[in-house]
Amino acid sequence: MHQDEQIRIEPSTRRPERVMWLNADRVLYVGLLGEPTVRTLGAFSIYVSLTQPHRISVEGGAWEAAELSVVPPGVPHRIVAGERMIFSILVEAETVDVPALPEWIRDGGGAVDDADTLAALRDALDRFKAAPRRQFDRTEDFDRHFFGLALPTRRIERRIRAVLDRIKHDPNSHTSAEDCAVACHLSVSRFLHLFRAEVGAPFRSFRTWQRARSVLYFVTQSANLANIALDVGYPDSTHFSHSVRQVYGLTPKSMFAGCRKLALYGYGTAAAQGLGAGRATA
């Protein structure tokens, strides 16, 4: 049976299981939300309530009640779950052709009123949990499972694509704009201009997000947070705590405490580095 053709599980049988799957392009998270302050994620953030509506405020605007909401990359927002857990998906902006995205993602800026999409996402989650192998070998497979189609891919200039691949292959390295400019045979100013035009985000913001995103591969580990900070590429625990809180609206301590019972799955090089080769392809 194909992984997208699993037996459907009726909503009444849903279990509050905590799970995360991620690769370099997508993140699936079902788990505790906690009480985040303002968060600013570098990806399209899709939030789905499991049973009770959540509340969301985008860029300091009015609070909206929603069962489905979308926040564009780089946009500050606050979210309060109507229950302990939340279902969310992150779609990396540099991987998709934004104008060609489904309208509910492309134009999302808070609550989304789309009952069919909400039901499809919940059903996709149920099928993922019921699958004997909770894995997607390609990002396209993930997209087809949760969105019903492979999201359109963004075309990026080859030199900038090489820089993106380098950063995403090793998000914990201290890759500088100067090094990337040299590799691209460009001046620093020209490289930074081209990077932003192609990727849709400043180089520094993208690099900061990728490093903070890489923390997700380590959230089930019991190692000392100071050691994890160094593994992820932060100079010390103070920078680690400040950066993580700025991105996720939570301290590293809160994030790791909330993920103790999380089943973590991943795929790709970064996953192997964070999870270990055995779990990365579980």
Side-chain angles (χ1 to χ4, degrees), residues 112-128:
V112 175
D113 185 10
D114 189 331
D116 290 341
T117 296
L118 173 65
L121 287 167
R122 286 172 169 168
D123 180 68
L125 176 62
D126 289 333
R127 288 186 285 111
F128 171 77

Side-chain angles (χ1 to χ4, degrees), residues 19-30 41 43-46 87-92 136 139 142-143 146-147 209-210 212-214 216-217 219 248 262 264-266:
V19 61
M20 180 160 63
W21 182 94
L22 69 168
N23 68 1
D25 301 328
R26 305 287 185 266
V27 177
L28 163 71
Y29 176 74
V30 184
L41 307 179
F44 283 95
S45 304
I46 300 167
F87 163 27
S88 67
I89 294 175
L90 299 181
V91 175
E92 298 304 316
F136 304 101
T139 298
F142 178 97
D143 289 349
F146 284 97
F147 304 124
W209 161 241
Q210 286 296 314
R213 186 189 191 278
S214 72
L216 299 177
Y217 292 105
V219 292
Y248 296 106
L262 188 74
L264 185 58
Y265 304 87

Side-chain angles (χ1 to χ4, degrees), residues 153-219:
T153 303
R154 179 186 294 224
R155 298 182 65 180
I156 294 178
E157 198 269 350
R158 60 178 181 80
R159 292 170 295 181
I160 302 302
R161 168 59 63 191
V163 170
L164 289 177
D165 291 344
R166 175 182 175 183
I167 295 174
K168 295 178 74 169
H169 178 81
D170 187 8
N172 308 333
S173 66
H174 295 278
T175 304
S176 69
E178 290 77 9
D179 292 339
C180 294
V182 169
C184 293
H185 304 287
L186 296 169
S187 68
V188 174
S189 60
R190 176 58 184 155
F191 165 73
L192 292 175
H193 176 81
L194 183 60
F195 186 94
R196 183 164 190 163
E198 291 290 314
V199 178
F203 175 80
R204 185 174 181 179
S205 297
F206 180 82
R207 190 182 59 180
T208 298
W209 161 241
Q210 286 296 314
R211 182 167 295 159
R213 186 189 191 278
S214 72
V215 173
L216 299 177
Y217 292 105
F218 295 83
V219 292

Side-chain angles (χ1 to χ4, degrees), residues 51-131:
T51 56
Q52 301 299 316
H54 58 270
R55 294 190 301 130
I56 190 162
S57 169
V58 179
E59 294 189 282
W63 286 94
E64 300 178 281
E67 291 187 83
L68 170 64
S69 61
V70 178
V71 182
V75 174
H77 60 283
R78 295 193 66 183
I79 179 169
V80 177
E83 53 203 310
R84 295 188 68 201
M85 293 173 56
I86 195 76
F87 163 27
S88 67
I89 294 175
L90 299 181
V91 175
E92 298 304 316
E94 80 284 352
T95 68
V96 291
D97 180 9
V98 176
L101 285 173
E103 182 178 355
W104 66 274
I105 302 177
R106 182 191 68 223
D107 299 336
V112 175
D113 185 10
D114 189 331
D116 290 341
T117 296
L118 173 65
L121 287 167
R122 286 172 169 168
D123 180 68
L125 176 62
D126 289 333
R127 288 186 285 111
F128 171 77
K129 287 185 173 182

